Amino acid sequence: SQIADKTLRQSHKSWVSAIQWSPTDPFVLATTSHDGTLKVWDIRSSLPLHTVKATTAKGEKSLCLAFGDGFIYSG
């Protein structure tokens, strides 16, 4: 399956800095952005399943992410 870049950019408020496929679900991926959010997507939908602040400091960017042991890490 393909996911359109415009789908991710419309949801994030700034540049998407990292994309990672779920190691356990072929339909799920996560993205993180310079807007400081991490989003979890099901590629069968155009809307994110979850959105969380990846940083607590105002103006901080989220640059990377990784799946591991039931968590998604971002920084």
Side-chain angles (χ1 to χ4, degrees), residues 12 30-33 35-40 50-54 62 64-65 72-74:
H12 281 292
T31 59
T32 194
S33 169
D35 65 11
T37 63
L38 181 140
K39 295 180 184 274
V40 179
H50 305 284
T51 300
V52 295
K53 286 293 288 174
S62 182
C64 59
L65 65 95
I72 303 174
Y73 301 96
S74 180

Side-chain angles (χ1 to χ4, degrees), residues 17-63:
S17 54
I19 300 172
Q20 179 86 39
W21 285 100
S22 166
T24 58
D25 189 329
F27 297 106
V28 173
L29 62 86
T31 59
T32 194
S33 169
H34 284 212
D35 65 11
T37 63
L38 181 140
K39 295 180 184 274
V40 179
W41 303 81
D42 183 318
I43 62 169
R44 298 167 289 191
S45 173
S46 62
L47 298 173
L49 298 172
H50 305 284
T51 300
V52 295
K53 286 293 288 174
T55 65
T56 56
K58 184 176 174 86
E60 286 289 316
K61 300 172 185 173
S62 182
L63 303 176

